[in-house]
């Protein structure tokens, strides 16, 4: 029987000392410091926006950062997903019995606010490890070993993590899907009627431009784990590298490409990010000039001009819509970006918008001489 993860605790990132990632999360995206720790050559800072928590591990000390491990990855990237479980030690034994590699045996920590136990296991995704955390009785600001950090109220643009997207090598999605099913209890979430889980949803970006294969996974009803989306490139691009292939090159393998952050007001969030200096991808002008696009936007209760001014994409029909906007990479390498997403009844991931996003990224790459 697969392990049942109850919720996502945090997403951990490893960055070099002095890298501005933590500062950018605060200044550009409204995250607020939650708790911090310094030790073993690491500075660890947990930041929060709504229920979304990012743990930034800065440095590369002789010891291990708490609640994870040093992957010694060549570029800054998302390094670890931490999930709450009922019993970390039992989970470790069960996974080890099924052949899962334990990277950190169960460790228990305690402070004045209670105790927590965690273990770290490998995943089938390159440098991305998984932490299983038991903290049901803990009532501190974050986790044992961390001290509180004074902060002022933030803009509250984000409520929670909507989804996690892993960039995968071509043909690997079925293998990854089976791993997350067998070990962590995920199950296939169809993105189209009658979808074959071994095939996923194929979204063509146009003749000679390749496209994406998307496979979505979710945990059983009652858990609070974001949807996991596996994304891989389709063959057929006539020239250059698409953004998934570029990620695989820059990240030196598969990994967490982006996090979808849910917002109740994407217009306010996007305007706030832009005003703070955050860099957003913009779709080509022709996107908003597609036949029926203006009517579709108005049917969703939105103003076409306002969406176009912020580069917000809209997909959906029959009264169910999805709005989304993407940032540029938050690292010098193209190894991680954010998505702001607002749902008006829609449950997909903007399949109809993929071509527009693809076009905007490819056009931008060509403009700066990055394609080919």
């Amino acid at each position: 029987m697969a392990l049942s993860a109850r919720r996502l605790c945090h997403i951990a990132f490893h960055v070099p000392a002095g890298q501005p990632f933590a500062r950018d999360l605060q200044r550009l995206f409204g995250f607020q410091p939650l708790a911090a720790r310094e030790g073993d050559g690491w500075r660890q800072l947990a930041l929060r926006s709504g229920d979304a928590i990012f743990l930034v591990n800065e440095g590369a000390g002789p010891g291990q950062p708490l609640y994870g491990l040093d992957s010694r990855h060549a570029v800054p990237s998302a390094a670890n997903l931490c999930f709450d479980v009922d019993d970390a030690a039992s989970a470790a034994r069960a996974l080890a019995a099924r052949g899962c590699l334990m990277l950190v045996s169960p460790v228990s920590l305690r402070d004045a606010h209670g105790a927590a136990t965690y273990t770290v296991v490998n995943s089938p995704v390159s440098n991305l490890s998984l932490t299983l955390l038991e903290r049901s009785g803990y009532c501190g600001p974050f986790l044992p070993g961390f001290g509180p950090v004074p902060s002022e109220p933030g803009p509250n643009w984000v409520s929670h993590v909507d989804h996690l997207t892993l960039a995968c090598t071509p043909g690997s999605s079925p293998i990854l899907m089976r791993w997350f099913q067998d070990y962590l209890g995920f199950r296939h979430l169809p993105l189209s009627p009658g979808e074959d889980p071994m095939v996923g949803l194929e979204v063509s970006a146009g003749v000679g431009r390749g496209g994406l294969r998307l496979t979505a996974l979710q945990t059983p009803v009652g858990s609070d784990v974001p949807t996991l989306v596996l994304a891989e490139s389709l063959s057929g691009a006539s020239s250059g590298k698409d953004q998934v292939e570029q990620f695989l090159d820059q990240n030196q393998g598969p990994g967490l490409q982006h996090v979808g952050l849910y917002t109740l007001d994407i217009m306010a969030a996007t305007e706030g990010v832009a005003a703070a200096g955050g860099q957003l991808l913009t779709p080509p002008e022709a996107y908003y000039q597609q036949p029926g696009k203006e009517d579709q936007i108005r049917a969703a209760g939105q103003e076409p001009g306002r969406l176009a001014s912020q580069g917000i994409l809209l997909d959906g029909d029959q009264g169910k819509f999805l709005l989304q906007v993407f940032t540029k990479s938050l690292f010098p390498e193209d190894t991680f970006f954010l998505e702001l997403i607002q749902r008006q009844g829609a449950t997909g991931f903007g399949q109809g918008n993929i071509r527009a996003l693809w076009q905007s990224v490819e056009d931008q790459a060509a403009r700066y001489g990055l394609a080919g």
Side-chain angles (χ1 to χ4, degrees):
M1 182 176 179
L3 170 71
S4 178
R6 292 194 290 112
R7 66 175 57 85
L8 176 70
C9 173
H10 63 260
I11 304 164
F13 300 81
H14 283 2
V15 302
Q19 215 274 349
F21 180 61
R23 185 175 70 247
D24 288 348
L25 289 175
Q26 299 175 66
R27 182 174 60 90
L28 304 178
F29 302 104
F31 278 73
Q32 296 297 306
L34 177 64
R37 169 189 178 265
E38 291 196 30
D40 303 318
W42 292 87
R43 181 177 185 271
Q44 296 182 267
L45 177 64
L47 304 106
R48 182 173 196 159
S49 185
D51 287 337
I53 298 178
F54 287 1
L55 176 60
V56 181
N57 299 322
E58 183 177 319
Q64 300 289 0
L66 285 185
Y67 306 100
L69 77 163
D70 183 6
S71 63
R72 299 289 176 178
H73 197 53
V75 296
S77 64
N80 178 274
L81 301 177
C82 179
F83 297 102
D84 282 328
V85 297
D86 290 327
D87 188 327
S90 294
R93 289 193 297 270
L95 291 180
R98 302 190 64 177
C100 187
L101 178 63
M102 297 291 108
L103 303 177
V104 177
S105 298
V107 177
S108 294
L109 299 170
R110 177 179 292 275
D111 64 17
H113 302 285
T117 300
Y118 74 92
T119 187
V120 184
V121 303
N122 74 329
S123 86
V125 183
S126 191
N127 67 306
L128 190 67
S129 62
L130 306 175
T131 293
L132 308 177
L133 174 70
E134 176 190 345
R135 56 165 182 174
S136 58
Y138 190 74
C139 59
F142 180 52
L143 291 170
F146 284 75
V149 176
S151 64
E152 298 179 358
N156 296 319
W157 293 329
V158 171
S159 64
H160 62 277
V161 174
D162 180 86
H163 63 276
L164 306 164
T165 296
L166 302 178
C168 310
T169 54
S172 67
S173 292
I175 297 172
L176 299 185
M177 180 182 66
R178 284 193 292 269
W179 193 95
F180 282 101
Q181 286 178 332
D182 293 345
Y183 286 99
L184 295 183
F186 281 81
R187 59 187 181 184
H188 177 236
L189 172 63
L191 297 176
S192 62
E195 178 184 317
D196 184 342
M198 293 295 106
V199 176
L201 175 67
E202 295 186 354
V203 183
S204 173
V207 177
R209 301 191 69 90
L212 281 180
R213 183 193 313 278
L214 301 177
T215 306
L217 304 171
Q218 64 180 4
T219 50
V221 176
S223 67
D224 192 20
V225 175
T227 301
L228 188 64
V229 182
L230 309 178
E232 63 177 69
S233 298
L234 294 175
S235 60
S238 58
S239 63
K241 293 181 179 179
D242 61 49
Q243 57 265 42
V244 172
E245 293 170 325
Q246 186 167 316
F247 173 92
L248 295 174
D249 279 353
Q250 294 286 313
N251 192 59
Q252 301 182 22
L256 183 64
Q257 182 205 40
H258 77 268
V259 172
L261 298 174
Y262 192 87
T263 177
L264 297 173
D265 189 341
I266 195 169
M267 182 58 66
T270 302
E271 289 177 344
V273 168
Q279 295 186 313
L280 304 170
L281 287 175
T282 55
E285 293 181 6
Y287 172 81
Y288 300 99
Q289 300 168 1
Q290 298 176 83
K293 177 56 69 175
E294 182 173 334
D295 291 339
Q296 182 189 37
I297 293 174
R298 293 191 185 280
Q302 303 292 331
E303 173 57 43
R306 289 196 70 195
L307 261 60
S309 68
Q310 297 298 327
I312 297 173
L313 306 171
L314 183 142
D315 190 23
D317 56 21
Q318 299 181 347
K320 296 182 179 181
F321 301 97
L322 175 148
L323 299 93
Q324 55 192 161
V325 67
F326 300 84
T327 75
K328 296 182 182 180
S329 177
L330 274 64
F331 296 126
E333 302 82 0
D334 288 332
T335 54
F336 182 75
F337 62 88
L338 295 173
E339 172 187 352
L340 297 174
I341 184 169
Q342 179 182 338
R343 298 183 183 275
Q344 296 178 193
T347 57
F349 296 94
Q351 296 90 303
N353 285 331
I354 288 174
R355 180 179 298 190
L357 173 64
W358 206 272
Q359 181 72 54
S360 67
V361 173
E362 300 300 299
D363 288 350
Q364 183 183 54
R367 188 178 309 125
Y368 291 98
L370 299 177

